[in-house]
Amino acid sequence: MNTQLTLVSHQLCPYVQRAAIVLAEKNIIFKRIHVDLSNKPDWFLRISPLGKTPVLLVDGEPIFESAVICEYLEDTTLPRLHPDNVLQRARHRAWMEFGSAVLNTIAGLYNAADDKVLQDKVVEMRKRFEQIEAVLGDGPYFAGQHFSVVDAVFGPVFRYFDVFDGIADFAIFKATPRVRAWRAALAARPTVRDAVDPDYPHLLQRFLAERGSALSALMNH
Ligand SMILES: N[C@@H](CCC(=O)N[C@@H](CS)C(=O)NCC(=O)O)C(=O)O
């Protein structure tokens, strides 16, 4: 790829991470810049119609929406991460979407106003991973030996739990051994590991502690 790529990022954004992982899996050289989402600069609002990260600038042309960015990279650069089979590729796209729903549940969990809502979100979270457990094979990745875009989506999902585990034992993965093994395989993958800065756990802890939520209370008591 003979184009200049810039990933407009935020340090905690899981959607940015999925794009960063796909870029790294394809050995693409790219520049990464962070924006302050609590004080969005005008240049950012001009390139991001929804005011969200990530945006990928391709020779200055913005592409927004992480799934679309991943598909663009799939269309333009080898190695292919999606399966060749059209039906399997469609299934992978569906599980990418499921990954976004899991991220919404995670946000619900860390924003829960009281213990009851927090517990509801924990139960919902366990159910989501049980659904994934039912479709996982022998691993180590979502579709076996081949690292796919679905893996790039779930690496950032699991990363939240590395910090949640230090707050309380929510037993999210107790009944899902295949998911546990998948989580470990993704944590060990260099492209997944390196998709965030080294101070990510500290930044996430601070973000969570400042939510004013039931989870913040657990951290601050
Ligand atoms: N559907 C979007 C979601 C991106 C998203 O929610 N980004 C968050 C940060 S992780 C954001 O920019 N939020 C700022 C805002 O909504 O004002 C995608 O997949 O790219």
Side-chain angles (χ1 to χ4, degrees), residues 11 43 47 50-51 94 133 181 189 210:
Q11 277 163 315
W43 66 263
I47 61 168
L50 297 171
E133 179 83 4
R189 183 97 176 173
E210 290 171 355

Side-chain angles (χ1 to χ4, degrees), residues 126 129-131 133 172-181:
R126 287 189 195 127
F129 285 112
E130 281 163 24
Q131 289 173 282
E133 179 83 4
I172 302 280
F173 304 107
K174 209 168 165 198
T176 53
R178 284 173 187 255
V179 174
R180 285 204 301 274

Side-chain angles (χ1 to χ4, degrees), residues 10 12-16 18 37 40 44 48 50-54 64-69 100 160:
H10 178 270
L12 290 177
C13 179
Y15 298 96
V16 165
R18 56 169 79 159
L37 287 173
K40 298 172 187 169
F44 172 65
S48 179
L50 297 171
K52 292 176 193 276
T53 56
F64 61 102
E65 284 298 321
S66 61
V68 178
I69 293 169
S100 298
Y160 279 98

Side-chain angles (χ1 to χ4, degrees), residues 29-199:
I29 294 169
F30 66 101
K31 195 171 135 193
R32 190 161 172 175
I33 51 176
H34 295 306
V35 285
D36 180 358
L37 287 173
S38 61
N39 184 18
K40 298 172 187 169
D42 286 344
W43 66 263
F44 172 65
L45 291 170
R46 276 196 296 275
I47 61 168
S48 179
L50 297 171
K52 292 176 193 276
T53 56
V55 174
L56 183 69
L57 291 170
V58 182
D59 285 337
E61 288 281 335
I63 306 174
F64 61 102
E65 284 298 321
S66 61
V68 178
I69 293 169
C70 293
E71 297 295 346
Y72 168 76
L73 295 169
E74 276 292 277
D75 285 345
T76 51
T77 329
L78 297 173
R80 292 245 155 69
L81 303 180
H82 273 327
D84 289 336
N85 178 281
V86 178
L87 175 59
Q88 293 311 321
R89 198 155 65 233
R91 288 188 65 245
H92 276 230
R93 288 177 175 139
W95 284 103
M96 288 169 65
E97 190 58 33
F98 190 89
S100 298
V102 173
L103 286 172
N104 286 337
T105 303
I106 289 174
L109 190 151
Y110 65 64
N111 285 320
D114 56 43
D115 288 340
K116 160 83 176 69
V117 178
L118 176 62
Q119 195 49 38
D120 288 349
K121 290 294 163 187
V122 167
V123 171
E124 186 181 320
M125 202 76 253
R126 287 189 195 127
K127 190 170 148 236
R128 290 283 170 254
F129 285 112
E130 281 163 24
Q131 289 173 282
I132 300 173
E133 179 83 4
V135 297
L136 282 179
D138 292 336
Y141 300 119
F142 178 73
Q145 297 291 327
H146 183 75
F147 186 95
S148 69
V149 187
V150 180
D151 295 293
V153 167
F154 276 87
V157 167
F158 290 128
R159 201 190 308 278
Y160 279 98
F161 293 91
D162 298 342
V163 170
F164 293 162
D165 285 350
I167 302 171
D169 182 8
F170 297 113
I172 302 280
F173 304 107
K174 209 168 165 198
T176 53
R178 284 173 187 255
V179 174
R180 285 204 301 274
W182 186 31
R183 176 186 176 187
L186 292 181
R189 183 97 176 173
T191 56
V192 174
R193 197 187 56 214
D194 298 340
V196 291
D197 293 335
D199 59 347

